[in-house]
Amino acid sequence: MAFLNSKSLIVCSILIVLCAVLYKKRSADLLQEKLGRVLHGLLRAEKKVGVERNTRIALGFGGCEDIFANVQEVLEKLDYTVPDDPAHVKDITSASDFVRIFTYFFGEGAAAERYVENATLFAEVAAAARDVPSARLALGGNAPAMARRLAIEGAEILLAARFTEQTRKQLPESIRVLGKPLDVDELHLVLEYSAGSKWGNYTASRANRFIIHSDKSNPFLDTLEDLEMELPSFDPSVLVVGGLQMMDNFPFKEGYREERLKKLNELLIKTDRSTKTHFELASFSDATLMKEIVDSVVYQCDSLGMNEQELPNLVSILTSGEIALISDSRPRIATVLDQMRTVFNLLKDTDESNGKRKLTRLHVHTLAYQAILTKKGSDWKNTMSAAAKASLTANRHVCGSNYIDTEKAKLLMDESFSTSTSEDSADRIPLEEQRPVSCWSEDEFDICLAPVLVCTEVLQTGGGGDNISSAGLLYQI
Ligand SMILES: *[C@@H]1O[C@H](CO)[C@@H](O)[C@H](O)[C@H]1NC(C)=O
Ligand SMILES: *[C@@H]1O[C@H](CO)[C@@H](O)[C@H](O)[C@H]1NC(C)=O
Ligand SMILES: *[C@@H]1O[C@H](CO)[C@@H](O)[C@H](O)[C@H]1NC(C)=O
């Protein structure tokens, strides 16, 4: 110990700290290099495909104005407190119902979209949402979000949705809007939170949003008849149906909901085979409604799009007729792939009578990756590029910028993944940084999975699924 005097101790400590700093910097550099390689690979896959100028796509339903706001700011402004008994409330009639159902979903980090019956309450929350520092206004609704994305990508669009004249002007001119103008826009409140944010003793496991609306026009699919009239002459490559969640828990007059869905079903039956049909799922809580939608829409579609929470809900409805309100917010890839197989197997052999169609495409978008399954021999093209496109769109949408900055991105996918939870049929597939989209074949379908460069500086989560789904779809027609 004699020569370990205080001077050499200081030198030693400095060396150790220096090494730690250098090591940290080195691993940050390595991570950036890795993200750079993944980004480069995705961009290369995206560039392989161009969009034909005259691609025509028709979309319905529902339009609205979105107010995006940080939910904690809104709750604070309203002076709402954490409830003792969070629960899934069927009808949101009071402030206490609102905080109970919000807390229920927040605690699970699950996205949800719900109707609020009490107009006074809705106006109160809306006023607060408009007024907080994080508030942002945007043109919203599933179909308009997809329409705008597709128009930006160069497609010709027919959109069945109603807005005020004023709001209509915000849409690109290349979009043809059907439906009588409204006097007042429908309003949706997109209450967002980031991963790890707190509400009382609850912590959000991931970034997400709780959406509420008090719509008067959207639940009726008002523009259905307009679309029916225009569709034959527009003759699109794809008809996209979305926004049906606006019917969830809406107090319809006896039998009227069934009547509107029947009308939609008839439209799908009449739609020419040369037009592919795609249904974009959303969050549903009413099992009867969801079963009606399965019978009148899902069976009539060639293609389905959904997120990792909506997928188990669909599996549950198809297999047991029950709703699965909440599921794992970060499911294993193997689990999601198994659920995709289940959906495909249940819908691939649909008897093509009375306008029903066999399912040939399934796109599942998650925070961490994009998975697109297409039936072998079907008309869907470029699955690999479509998965890459969807993945890049996810980052661009959430970060709010077309340029992707790897300093503001992270990968949530592991180095490799298993293709199934069942041991004997599972393969392990490595994530190759140079060629990040993994594609493989199974008996009856091809599937591609692309990692998402998850945006770490979240600008918006709401509307992401629509944006992402439409980008993928466009590359496949
Ligand atoms: C939060 O606190 C409430 C009441 O104190 C309790 O009932 C609930 O289980 C707690 N939740 C969590 C996630 O700890
Ligand atoms: C509707 O909401 C308002 C404002 O929160 C509340 O004062 C009123 O009691 C609610 N109505 C019902 C029927 O709960
Ligand atoms: C879709 O993403 C683009 C950015 O890529 C964004 O400008 C647009 O607002 C997004 N749509 C919605 C409804 O948020």
Side-chain angles (χ1 to χ4, degrees), residues 152-280:
I152 292 173
E153 303 284 347
E156 234 181 277
I157 303 296
L158 184 69
L159 172 62
R162 297 181 70 190
F163 310 95
T164 55
E165 298 275 16
Q166 203 57 32
T167 303
R168 236 166 132 148
K169 290 197 191 109
Q170 295 173 25
L171 282 165
E173 276 182 25
S174 56
I175 298 180
R176 232 177 93 207
V177 183
L178 297 172
K180 276 208 313 283
L182 291 170
D183 294 333
V184 188
D185 278 310
E186 308 256 48
L187 191 61
H188 289 195
L189 309 181
V190 185
L191 305 171
E192 301 182 301
Y193 49 87
S194 47
S197 54
K198 296 212 176 343
W199 163 239
N201 56 351
Y202 298 89
T203 306
S205 59
R206 53 162 287 184
N208 228 322
R209 78 278 176 182
F210 183 62
I211 304 179
I212 54 171
H213 71 94
S214 198
D215 282 359
K216 292 176 183 62
S217 151
N218 286 328
F220 298 107
L221 312 180
D222 271 352
T223 47
L224 194 47
E225 281 73 11
D226 304 291
L227 184 61
E228 187 181 16
M229 254 176 40
E230 293 296 325
L231 202 61
S233 60
F234 186 66
D235 187 25
S237 306
V238 189
L239 165 63
V240 177
V241 175
L244 302 188
Q245 72 279 13
M246 250 74 88
M247 299 177 121
D248 202 66
N249 284 323
F250 184 81
F252 284 96
K253 272 206 314 264
E254 175 76 26
Y256 196 55
R257 181 178 85 193
E258 292 82 343
E259 203 176 296
R260 294 310 285 163
L261 281 174
K262 180 150 189 298
K263 188 91 213 200
L264 172 58
N265 174 255
E266 285 163 7
L267 172 75
L268 289 168
I269 291 174
K270 272 197 294 197
T271 302
D272 196 89
R273 282 272 155 185
S274 63
T275 297
K276 294 256 186 289
T277 48
H278 171 90
F279 175 49
E280 189 64 25

Side-chain angles (χ1 to χ4, degrees), residues 66 68 139-141 145 148-149 152 393 396-397 400-402 460 462-464 467:
D66 280 338
F68 293 85
L139 178 78
R148 178 183 265 181
R149 166 57 39 200
I152 292 173
T393 305
R396 288 173 181 144
H397 172 81
S401 154
N402 207 38
Q460 55 191 353
N467 242 317

Side-chain angles (χ1 to χ4, degrees), residues 1-143:
M1 288 303 278
F3 30 69
L4 252 191
N5 57 28
S6 62
K7 232 186 226 160
S8 49
L9 257 179
I10 290 173
V11 172
C12 258
S13 323
I14 289 177
L15 275 176
I16 289 171
V17 169
L18 202 63
C19 278
V21 168
L22 280 175
Y23 178 75
K24 206 162 160 216
K25 169 141 189 355
R26 178 80 189 123
S27 51
D29 286 348
L30 282 177
L31 179 64
Q32 275 307 309
E33 281 167 23
K34 173 176 172 169
L35 292 176
R37 282 192 294 273
V38 171
L39 174 59
H40 188 73
L42 291 173
L43 290 172
R44 215 175 40 226
E46 180 189 38
K47 270 200 234 84
K48 283 199 178 135
V49 177
V51 175
E52 279 174 43
R53 274 280 141 191
N54 53 3
T55 304
R56 285 185 309 281
I57 302 179
L59 303 112
F61 295 94
C64 60
E65 187 179 22
D66 280 338
I67 302 181
F68 293 85
N70 175 289
V71 72
Q72 285 147 308
E73 290 177 8
V74 176
L75 292 166
E76 200 168 302
K77 178 143 199 115
L78 288 164
D79 225 354
Y80 287 172
T81 49
V82 185
D84 301 330
D85 53 350
H88 184 259
V89 186
K90 194 164 169 290
D91 299 313
I92 306 177
T93 53
S94 65
S96 125
D97 293 339
F98 169 72
V99 287
R100 286 181 71 200
I101 188 167
F102 164 73
T103 307
Y104 173 76
F105 285 110
F106 177 87
E108 303 284 343
E113 180 161 356
R114 289 294 173 268
Y115 174 74
V116 173
E117 166 111 50
N118 182 335
T120 319
L121 169 68
F122 185 77
E124 248 173 44
V125 183
R130 267 184 206 283
D131 213 33
V132 296
S134 59
R136 268 183 310 115
L137 283 174
L139 178 78
N142 288 66

